[in-house]
Structures are given as structure tokens and as C-alpha cells.
Amino acid sequence: MGYSNYVLMSIKPVFAEEILTGFKKFELRSRTASIASGDKVIMYASTPIKSLVGMFTAGRILTLTYEELNRMYRQNQLPGVTERDLEFMRGRKRPLLAIEVLDPIRFNEPIRLSEIKQWIPGFRPPMNYVRLKADDPLLALVLKKLRAQAVR
């Protein structure tokens, strides 16, 4: 079976929270990725949370040099991007990725890594991101949780 339009992305807990509260409107990545506008990004909040905490729809996908990122930041074109984010990206030679965050959804109950491993023995979260196949058991688990959340 082919790939879905769902991407699993590891994100530091502070950034995941900023996305879920609506503060952060762009997720920055130090590596380019094959993420397209309209993809659904499932957020895995890394240590110490170690849980799937929510998701968002990818809007505009911008591939930028650090200089372009800095210029857009100074012109207030990247809402939610902070000096802290720029500092983290400073000195990167490769192109950077800015993913516009649309329609963030917080899961009512995070899906803990321990629960995922019960469903999918040997599961390991990605270092950066991974596109999920349409028949991926993790995608089935997330969609099941979302359906249960919508019924409440």
C-alpha cells in the first residue's frame, strides 16, 4: 500500500506546546523534508513527554537560507518564530524549512510511547520525521483516537 498524507514529526515539547496554543505559526526544521502543503503532521513531543500530543495541517512550505529566514523574521513574516529559534538555526549552511502551521489540534489524551509500543512492538520515534504509509498501524491508532475524541 502507498504512502498517506500523514507525517510523524518529533518536536521538542516547548515547540509542540507553542504550536498547540496557537503562538507558533511556523515550525522550523534544520533539514529540508518532503512535506507538502495539506499534509497532516502528527507531533511526537520528545523527552521528557514522549507522547503523541496533537497534529496540524501543513500550510505553506518555505525552503530558505538562514539569511532569508532572518530577513523574514525581521519583517514579521514568520509569526511565532523567536530569537531563540533564529539562534538555533544560526550558522546552518544547508537550506532550512519553515512549515506553516494551520488548524492545530491537541489530543484530549496524549498517546504515550509506552502505549504505542504495546500496539507496535519495537516502535521508535523518528529523529526528525517520517511519512506514514496508509496501512501503518501508528496511523490507525491515531485515527482511532481522533474518532473517539470527536465523539465526546
Side-chain angles (χ1 to χ4, degrees), residues 119-132:
W119 276 71
I120 309 165
F123 173 82
R124 290 175 39 169
M127 292 296 290
N128 192 0
Y129 84 101
V130 64
R131 181 166 297 281
L132 299 176

Side-chain angles (χ1 to χ4, degrees), residues 54-144:
M55 60 191 293
F56 65 89
T57 301
R60 292 176 291 155
I61 309 295
L62 308 174
T63 303
L64 307 166
T65 64
Y66 176 79
E67 292 73 24
E68 291 168 327
L69 174 71
N70 192 26
R71 180 182 46 75
M72 289 182 76
Y73 168 76
R74 302 279 175 230
Q75 294 173 350
N76 295 315
Q77 294 177 332
L78 298 171
V81 172
T82 65
E83 286 284 344
R84 170 199 63 204
D85 300 320
L86 283 183
E87 186 60 35
F88 182 73
M89 295 297 179
R90 188 178 321 278
R92 308 275 175 163
K93 301 296 181 202
R94 287 191 229 155
L96 307 170
L97 198 65
I99 305 165
E100 185 179 26
V101 173
L102 301 176
D103 307 319
I105 298 170
R106 181 187 302 271
F107 296 156
N108 286 345
E109 295 179 25
I111 306 172
R112 301 197 188 299
L113 180 59
S114 57
E115 181 182 351
I116 295 168
K117 286 185 173 188
Q118 288 175 353
W119 276 71
I120 309 165
F123 173 82
R124 290 175 39 169
M127 292 296 290
N128 192 0
Y129 84 101
V130 64
R131 181 166 297 281
L132 299 176
K133 290 189 175 182
D135 62 349
D136 192 302
L138 181 66
L139 181 55
L141 176 63
V142 168
L143 295 177
K144 177 181 173 187

Side-chain angles (χ1 to χ4, degrees), residues 25-56:
K25 302 292 186 187
F26 281 87
E27 169 60 13
L28 302 180
R29 299 266 111 177
S30 60
R31 295 181 181 190
T32 57
S34 60
I35 295 175
S37 180
D39 281 350
K40 305 295 185 190
V41 179
I42 301 166
M43 293 183 291
Y44 174 81
S46 58
T47 302
I49 305 297
K50 296 183 182 179
S51 298
L52 301 178
V53 295
M55 60 191 293
F56 65 89

